[in-house]
Amino acid sequence: MEILWILLALCMLTAALGPMLRRRRAGREGVHLVSPDAPDAADPAHYGFVRQELLDVRLPGPDRDLLDVWEVVQRTQDWRAASQLLAGTPKEGEVRLQRVQAFAGAASLELAQQPGVGGAWLRKWRAESPKDAGAAQVHAEFLVQQAWRSSAAHADDFRMILEEARTVCAEAALLAPGDPVPYITELAVARGLAYPQAEFEQLWAKVIDRAPEHMGAHLAALHYWCEKWHGSRELADEFAHASAARAPKGSLLAALPLFAVYEHLPDIALVRDFYGSAVVRRAMEGALHAVHTARPDDPMLAHVRHLLILFLVRGERWAEAMDQLVHVDGHVGALPWTLNDDPAAEYAVYRALAVAGYEANGGSPATLPH
């Protein structure tokens, strides 16, 4: 996979810079590939962007409360600060799911780095506070992430871990009636254990009864309907467009079709100007509209912006890509970057392409709105 991404990056550099060479305005010199330290190199730092080594790969966007609490938990191995944060996080919104996933991911990473020792604070949390709904939710998500991190899909240990996760999801649901998070976590279990479609739809009904506009839940459900899992390109597209059509004004669900397109991207685009095709263009416009009409503090906004960066760069829409970069730069813990072994490096490639394309078409730090 790493080799594939390297080849993709090289192809993108060729595809992006080639048209720029051809489209330079008359009378101006063409764009040349130069070393990063050359005086005329397109430098992301000129735009105030964060250096690659300082990019935060943990989150898609800032959550200072979460990071402060996590630093305390990591330093003291005491779970109480995490419990207090989740207890004060409303169950109806997107933030609770993101914080549950973040704590679970941190515990899973600790365990991977220190086998048998890492993540001890989560085990203590469950043992010392068995009725804590937050602990049960983090435990269930931890098991899901462990299954996907450490086991091959359909292997016996993969299924055993997910079966345990399903049991813990049920416990979490009993501890917090009305909270959609245990059911959203179970959506990933359903994908891994290949729930029949009727059973999956029953689970989905429980989710939307509690949180009908939950973007994180819709993204989890979309994976099930994708061609590589238990649906098809058509079923995923139908789910995404139906959800977008029902979305109220200001909802980021209007961006769901772009995620459906992303889940079914061809390894090689056989259609000339694939990223300018009608299907991709409509999905991009829907996502851009969603971004422009969403609340500035919507916790899922960064997720949509990150995915838009990939499509806008590949579509050579440099100014629009730069606009998204201004809003999210500094945090890269989101699709599409997290599918790479080095999310910061992958993001930095696209950022550099956006800067180069923007400057090749007359842009500069002075012309970029902030």
Side-chain angles (χ1 to χ4, degrees):
M1 179 61 72
E2 185 175 351
I3 293 175
L4 179 61
W5 275 111
I6 292 172
L7 291 173
L8 175 61
L10 291 173
C11 291
M12 286 176 54
L13 281 166
T14 302
L17 294 175
M20 281 187 256
L21 285 166
R22 294 191 297 270
R23 287 201 303 262
R24 277 304 261 191
R25 293 174 182 173
R28 297 178 63 182
E29 292 183 7
V31 177
H32 302 283
L33 287 173
V34 295
S35 63
D37 57 350
D40 57 346
D43 186 354
H46 294 161
Y47 296 84
F49 292 148
V50 176
R51 287 160 47 190
Q52 179 180 327
E53 62 269 24
L54 298 179
L55 291 168
D56 193 327
V57 301
R58 297 170 295 180
L59 298 171
D63 186 341
R64 192 68 255 170
D65 290 341
L66 173 63
L67 293 179
D68 288 345
V69 166
W70 171 236
E71 289 171 5
V72 171
V73 173
Q74 191 173 42
R75 185 178 69 253
T76 65
Q77 290 295 295
D78 189 334
W79 52 267
R80 289 174 178 80
S83 177
Q84 291 171 1
L85 180 66
L86 287 182
T89 304
K91 63 186 180 182
E92 297 82 8
E94 306 276 354
V95 175
R96 186 175 181 85
L97 176 64
Q98 292 191 20
R99 288 177 172 175
V100 165
Q101 291 175 333
F103 282 129
S108 181
L109 182 59
E110 274 192 15
L111 186 59
Q113 294 172 339
Q114 306 174 62
V117 178
W121 57 271
L122 178 55
R123 294 190 290 275
K124 291 179 182 177
W125 189 4
R126 283 289 276 157
E128 296 174 8
S129 188
K131 301 300 183 182
D132 188 325
Q137 291 176 7
V138 173
H139 185 202
E141 177 64 30
F142 167 80
L143 290 168
V144 167
Q145 294 194 27
Q146 278 297 101
W148 293 105
R149 181 191 295 272
S150 61
S151 308
H154 312 304
D156 289 344
D157 57 343
F158 176 83
R159 294 189 62 84
M160 288 175 61
I161 297 172
L162 287 182
E163 290 286 2
E164 184 181 357
R166 174 157 59 178
T167 299
V168 179
C169 283
E171 294 174 10
L174 289 174
L175 290 171
D179 192 329
V181 169
Y183 299 103
I184 298 173
T185 300
E186 192 180 349
L187 293 173
V189 175
R191 176 163 52 102
L193 294 180
Y195 282 20
Q197 288 190 3
E199 186 177 354
F200 182 85
E201 287 172 347
Q202 290 174 358
L203 173 61
W204 180 240
K206 294 177 183 178
V207 173
I208 59 174
D209 280 348
R210 292 161 175 80
E213 299 169 22
H214 201 290
M215 181 69 171
H218 281 77
L219 290 174
L222 177 64
H223 290 150
Y224 177 91
W225 293 114
C226 286
E227 187 174 60
K228 59 188 172 185
W229 288 105
H230 310 296
S232 64
R233 186 186 304 265
E234 291 73 25
L235 285 172
D237 190 64
E238 179 183 336
F239 173 79
H241 280 87
S243 300
R246 291 193 300 267
K249 183 178 180 180
S251 170
L252 287 170
L253 288 176
L256 204 61
L258 187 65
F259 285 86
V261 170
Y262 174 72
E263 291 295 334
H264 296 90
L265 283 179
D267 291 334
I268 300 175
L270 299 178
V271 178
R272 188 174 181 272
D273 193 22
F274 174 79
Y275 291 91
S277 64
V279 170
V280 176
R281 190 171 62 251
R282 282 196 299 269
M284 290 171 66
E285 295 306 326
L288 286 166
H289 174 75
V291 162
H292 292 149
T293 58
R295 298 190 330 270
D297 62 345
D298 190 314
M300 292 301 292
L301 187 53
H303 288 270
V304 180
R305 290 190 188 279
H306 278 291
L307 190 64
L308 269 169
I309 291 167
L310 178 142
F311 278 91
L312 290 168
V313 168
R314 290 187 180 183
E316 301 181 23
R317 297 168 64 167
W318 312 115
E320 291 167 291
M322 292 292 287
D323 181 54
Q324 302 307 317
L325 284 164
V326 166
H327 287 89
V328 300
D329 192 71
H331 296 83
V332 295
L335 285 175
W337 327 121
T338 50
L339 292 182
N340 190 272
D341 290 338
D342 189 344
E346 181 70 5
Y347 168 84
V349 168
Y350 280 82
R351 185 176 65 182
L353 286 169
V355 170
Y358 184 64
E359 293 189 354
N361 287 274
S364 71
T367 62
L368 183 65
H370 286 74

